[in-house]
Amino acid sequence: MSAPPGDLGTDASATLTAGQIPQQKEHDSQELSTPLQSPRRQGTKMEAALGLRPTDIDRLGQDIMLRQDLAAPTLYQHGPGYGLASHDPHCLAVHAVLRVANVSFHVNNCDNENMSPTGELPFLRRCNDELVAGLENISAYIGDRRESDGNCVSTDAVADMRAYVNLVACKCGTAVDYELWCEDTNYVGVASKLYGQQRYPWPLSSVLCRMRQHQVRARALGSGVQCTPEHVYTHADSAFTALSAKLNDQPYLFGDTATEVDAVAYAYLAYILHAELPCEKLKPLVQKHGNLVHFCQRFRQAFFADAE
């Protein structure tokens, strides 16, 4: 059941090293940017003519920065892990998209899906308390902001990028979920602990995790027999090959500038490369494409250097 917009709980985050399961701790919401304090200075002639003291100007500047800071949306996500900004690839994808779009935002590592209107993280809480959940809706919100700022992308380019985003989210994202939730050793050793035992008492933790596992399996394999686990990994392998061919020797998938496609691709590829699971079927499929590995390193240095 969703929590009221005005009462979205406290922040819980934990810093992980590779292969560790995060332990929940209570913290205040983390902010990606904080107002800078200006050094004491002498007033200008113009300020003196207007009867303004340097402290008045400084206070006005700080007030403007504070208002801009309060107007920034808050991203509610699963906390950091495996050396990444979030131990959850879907949260990492939205986090990366916001950074590429140069959107100022706060981060709340809440680790609580019940706070989301869809029952899943991530979601964005705007300054008017409107909640925007899921990669597709948050991407649309960012696109609306770009249009209002006059930063439009051609229709053909948007369609091309959307096709690649869907390729990554559907093929790679589905395979990532399946590997974590439906491979028995990964479910027992990682998923059931990370998303269940550390958050809820038994037997609720077991029931919720089994429900999530059933949902993931149904999404990946369908309700009938049209898809097998081998097909899931084969489709992911084809997606990695397509991304590698598209990237070629470019810095990013669509040239010299990173886009939403790069952000989403980075999130799933980086998760596959960094998360240490008992059963790793996807990691070798990515590692055989050297340009994808270098792409992840390049993207991380460009957009997440401050998180290291």
Side-chain angles (χ1 to χ4, degrees), residues 200-232:
Y200 308 103
W202 188 88
L204 179 61
S205 59
S206 178
V207 172
L208 292 177
C209 282
R210 287 299 180 185
M211 290 174 59
R212 177 77 174 270
Q213 184 187 57
H214 177 75
Q215 292 169 353
V216 170
R217 181 176 285 111
R219 260 198 310 259
L221 304 182
S223 57
V225 294
Q226 53 269 56
C227 189
T228 67
E230 289 72 23
H231 288 144
V232 173

Side-chain angles (χ1 to χ4, degrees), residues 286-299:
V286 175
Q287 288 176 329
K288 69 181 181 181
H289 301 288
N291 62 343
L292 293 183
V293 176
H294 294 148
F295 160 78
C296 287
Q297 296 169 347
R298 186 183 310 114
F299 188 97

Side-chain angles (χ1 to χ4, degrees), residues 209-261:
C209 282
R210 287 299 180 185
M211 290 174 59
R212 177 77 174 270
Q213 184 187 57
H214 177 75
Q215 292 169 353
V216 170
R217 181 176 285 111
R219 260 198 310 259
L221 304 182
S223 57
V225 294
Q226 53 269 56
C227 189
T228 67
E230 289 72 23
H231 288 144
V232 173
Y233 295 117
T234 300
H235 292 161
D237 191 21
S238 299
F240 299 146
T241 300
L243 288 175
S244 179
K246 174 64 177 176
L247 180 63
N248 199 2
D249 58 355
Q250 302 177 113
Y252 299 106
L253 289 164
F254 282 82
D256 296 331
T257 304
T259 66
E260 176 188 349
V261 185

